[in-house]
Amino acid sequence: MLVDLLPLFPLKMVALPGVLVPLHIFEERYKEMVGIAIEHQTEFGIVLAHEQGVANVGCSVAVDKVLQRYQDGRLDILCLGKRRFHVVELNSDLSYLRGSVQFFDDDQAAASDELTKLQDEAYSAWRQLANRLGVNPLPEIAPRDPHLSFLLGQAVTALSTRQLLLQLRSEAERLRHLVTFFRDFEMKQARIREAKRLAPTNGHAKHLGSKN
């Protein structure tokens, strides 16, 4: 479905479907844009901003809650990621960017057995990494959620990886990438911990029972 002129919010972030996004709105043009979205209960799109402009794939969001209104019109809001879209054409007639967009979903569902295996691997990889780092392992997430990849993706800070998750049209492919990402990250953290452990000894670890 082609939608004409969805309001767009370029940011150094990637919103994901089903994931909450906190935003602080302070620019006049975005106060106007968000005000319209709140009044009419409509969506606006978040697109990743980079040096060349904006990414051509984004995620629409709806304002889930207004956390605080300031006297000067600034807003703290909590948005919920809704639908993925491809930007067909940009429009800059207003103070804020808009675009004709094509919403899309996954092309094909994975086989049930394969998907279950990937869900288990991705969820387990995240919990192992989270426990190692001592952070909350997202206990509110159900391992069998049909969009598990997006929910686990909120733990990823690498914008390139989050953008890839947004663009892929297969839950199975997204889960495979997350398994690799979490395991690679854990290996990097293990190397960092080992380097810190050896640093005080100048790289020469003492053997147990050594007198020196």
Side-chain angles (χ1 to χ4, degrees), residues 57-92:
V57 172
C59 181
S60 70
V61 300
V63 178
D64 186 69
K65 188 176 183 180
V66 177
L67 301 174
Q68 185 169 351
R69 292 180 183 270
Y70 299 87
Q71 290 185 347
D72 59 4
R74 290 179 296 128
L75 292 169
D76 289 334
I77 59 176
L78 192 62
C79 298
L80 180 65
K82 292 292 188 177
R83 300 178 288 172
R84 293 178 290 165
F85 60 82
H86 181 271
V87 179
V88 177
E89 187 176 0
L90 293 173
N91 180 286
S92 56

Side-chain angles (χ1 to χ4, degrees), residues 197-206:
R197 185 183 71 82
L198 293 177
T201 66
N202 247 355
H204 301 290
K206 294 182 178 180

Side-chain angles (χ1 to χ4, degrees), residues 3-11 27-34 36-37 43-50 52-61 85-101:
V3 175
D4 286 334
L5 304 182
L6 177 74
L8 299 177
F9 199 169
L11 292 167
E27 288 189 55
E28 291 300 325
R29 53 180 171 170
Y30 295 123
K31 291 179 190 175
E32 177 187 0
M33 184 191 76
V34 170
I36 293 172
E43 300 173 11
F44 59 91
I46 291 180
V47 286
L48 177 62
H50 48 69
Q52 292 74 34
V54 297
N56 62 1
V57 172
C59 181
S60 70
V61 300
F85 60 82
H86 181 271
V87 179
V88 177
E89 187 176 0
L90 293 173
N91 180 286
S92 56
D93 289 346
L94 299 182
S95 60
Y96 52 84
L97 195 64
R98 296 181 295 169
S100 295
V101 304

Side-chain angles (χ1 to χ4, degrees), residues 38-191:
I38 293 173
E39 180 181 357
H40 298 283
Q41 297 184 335
T42 52
E43 300 173 11
F44 59 91
I46 291 180
V47 286
L48 177 62
H50 48 69
E51 293 181 357
Q52 292 74 34
V54 297
N56 62 1
V57 172
C59 181
S60 70
V61 300
V63 178
D64 186 69
K65 188 176 183 180
V66 177
L67 301 174
Q68 185 169 351
R69 292 180 183 270
Y70 299 87
Q71 290 185 347
D72 59 4
R74 290 179 296 128
L75 292 169
D76 289 334
I77 59 176
L78 192 62
C79 298
L80 180 65
K82 292 292 188 177
R83 300 178 288 172
R84 293 178 290 165
F85 60 82
H86 181 271
V87 179
V88 177
E89 187 176 0
L90 293 173
N91 180 286
S92 56
D93 289 346
L94 299 182
S95 60
Y96 52 84
L97 195 64
R98 296 181 295 169
S100 295
V101 304
Q102 182 81 47
F103 289 104
F104 68 89
D105 207 336
D106 287 347
D107 293 332
Q108 186 175 356
S112 179
D113 291 346
E114 177 190 14
L115 189 59
T116 297
K117 181 174 181 291
L118 287 169
Q119 288 172 332
D120 289 340
E121 289 180 358
Y123 193 77
S124 175
W126 159 241
R127 287 189 65 90
Q128 181 176 338
L129 176 60
N131 290 335
R132 175 77 71 175
L133 297 178
V135 298
N136 188 341
L138 307 180
E140 73 278 8
I141 293 179
R144 292 292 175 265
D145 191 291
H147 299 110
L148 179 64
S149 63
F150 293 134
L151 300 181
L152 291 178
Q154 65 186 300
V156 176
T157 57
L159 292 179
S160 58
T161 299
R162 288 176 70 102
Q163 185 67 25
L164 178 62
L165 294 177
L166 193 66
Q167 295 175 185
L168 287 173
R169 302 194 181 196
S170 165
E171 175 70 359
E173 283 299 307
R174 290 191 295 270
L175 289 171
R176 289 191 190 98
H177 276 281
L178 282 173
V179 170
T180 300
F181 178 86
F182 290 144
R183 289 176 177 172
D184 286 351
F185 193 88
E186 166 61 19
M187 291 177 61
K188 291 176 183 177
Q189 292 301 305
R191 288 196 292 268

